Amino acid sequence: MNAIELSRVSVRYASGRLALEDIELSVRKGEICAVLGPNGAGKSTLVKVISGALPPQRGEVRILGEPLSRLDRREIAKRIALVPQTSEPAVGFSVREIVMMGRAPHQGAWMRASKHDEEAVERAIAACELESLAGRGVAELSGGEQQRVAIARALAQEAPVLLLDEATAHLDVRHFIALSELVCREVQERGLACLMVLHDLNAAAQYADRIALLKAGRLVAHGSIEEVMTYRRLKEVFEAELYVGVNELDNARYFLPVRPQLGPSPRRDG
């Protein structure tokens, strides 16, 4: 089943400039779709449209088969968990309190935490390696630590759709790998549909099941890594020379930028 479906979605800014044009895109349950493209391609705008923060001027977004336009904010929050690029630290709240906020869509008017709420929060804190920080104020943490808190909050939300807008950009290598592996496990074990915006081509090739390639608000390609992440397509979209190689150990593709005039001839794999 497609958990996320976009049908001919178009968005223009107030200035009239095109942000997205006729986007046709779907993400299935149990699948990670990585969205790639240069700055200004429309990646974050796409996330805003799927999360319900920005209604399209044309077309339709469906979440678990239901038109997004028919859902109120509470119902959207039950279905979609979003981790943005950055967020302002919530002054006066501890890590555990912030993660508990992810349970708000499931709680009543008095926001009383149930045993299940508390268990979900503790699982998310442990999964994101935040146990030693759980009692500290979020404003005291580093940018990378705050981003791990935001990811834990999204996991505690237990929504079937997970949107990550460059959510791992501020993490060090160890935490990037740990949290990327965590997202993969959550997607596989819970059957989540995950759409993640990335700038790192190698991370996309390592962790995504499918790739959506954007340029200037248009979907250039959507499919498997082998179909989409080719030398010709990447050069067209990023307007840069890239060496495209294949790791003999796991048959995964990897990508290296080539310095103009100084680097080796790029692999031309199609």
Side-chain angles (χ1 to χ4, degrees):
M1 176 183 177
N2 288 330
I4 304 172
E5 291 181 273
L6 280 73
S7 178
R8 300 201 65 185
V9 166
S10 295
V11 174
R12 287 188 179 275
Y13 295 118
S15 64
R17 185 170 69 87
L18 182 71
L20 297 172
E21 183 175 22
D22 287 335
I23 301 295
E24 296 273 351
L25 180 66
S26 63
V27 183
R28 297 187 292 264
K29 291 182 176 181
E31 177 179 74
I32 296 176
C33 177
V35 181
L36 304 174
N39 293 336
K43 302 184 298 295
S44 292
T45 301
L46 180 68
V47 171
K48 290 177 182 177
V49 169
I50 297 172
S51 69
L54 179 65
Q57 275 80 48
R58 188 175 69 189
E60 184 178 62
V61 179
R62 300 177 75 90
I63 301 296
L64 301 174
E66 186 78 14
L68 189 63
S69 58
R70 296 182 187 174
L71 302 176
D72 60 26
R73 292 308 307 173
R74 187 180 185 87
E75 284 301 315
I76 291 174
K78 287 181 179 179
R79 298 177 185 225
I80 301 173
L82 167 65
V83 183
Q85 295 179 35
T86 57
S87 56
E88 289 296 321
V91 178
F93 291 95
S94 69
V95 168
R96 182 172 282 105
E97 288 170 334
I98 292 294
V99 178
M100 180 61 77
M101 290 178 186
R103 299 301 304 165
H106 307 282
Q107 297 173 346
W110 295 101
M111 306 298 285
R112 291 174 178 164
S114 67
K115 181 179 179 181
H116 179 74
D117 292 333
E118 293 173 352
E119 289 173 347
V121 166
E122 294 307 316
R123 279 197 302 270
I125 287 174
C128 295
E129 300 182 2
L130 293 167
E131 299 98 324
S132 63
L133 304 175
R136 290 180 57 183
V138 173
E140 303 172 16
L141 306 183
S142 70
E145 290 167 339
Q146 289 177 9
Q147 199 66 356
R148 284 159 54 200
V149 174
I151 294 170
R153 174 178 170 170
L155 294 178
Q157 200 169 326
E158 294 185 326
V161 173
L162 179 62
L163 304 179
L164 305 175
D165 188 1
E166 296 187 58
T168 56
H170 299 289
L171 302 180
D172 59 36
V173 173
R174 183 176 77 83
H175 284 110
F176 167 78
I177 294 172
L179 286 166
S180 297
E181 292 291 335
L182 171 62
V183 169
C184 285
R185 289 197 302 272
E186 292 285 316
V187 168
Q188 293 168 3
E189 294 174 5
R190 292 174 48 203
L192 304 184
C194 177
L195 182 141
M196 57 167 61
V197 172
L198 291 171
H199 271 299
D200 189 331
L201 302 181
N202 291 299
Q206 283 285 332
Y207 292 105
D209 299 298
R210 285 201 292 168
I211 305 294
L213 202 55
L214 288 180
K215 182 178 183 181
R218 295 178 176 85
L219 187 62
V220 174
H222 180 219
S224 68
I225 292 166
E226 293 74 21
E227 292 170 333
V228 176
M229 300 185 77
T230 66
Y231 166 77
R232 294 183 187 281
R233 278 218 171 102
L234 294 177
K235 182 179 180 181
E236 172 194 350
V237 168
F238 290 99
E239 299 179 7
E241 292 283 354
L242 292 166
Y243 177 86
V244 182
V246 179
N247 189 328
E248 295 180 358
L249 295 177
D250 57 8
N251 208 34
R253 294 196 173 198
Y254 65 90
F255 310 89
L256 297 171
V258 177
R259 292 182 64 184
Q261 300 178 343
L262 298 179
S265 298
R267 179 189 180 98
R268 299 178 184 272
D269 65 340

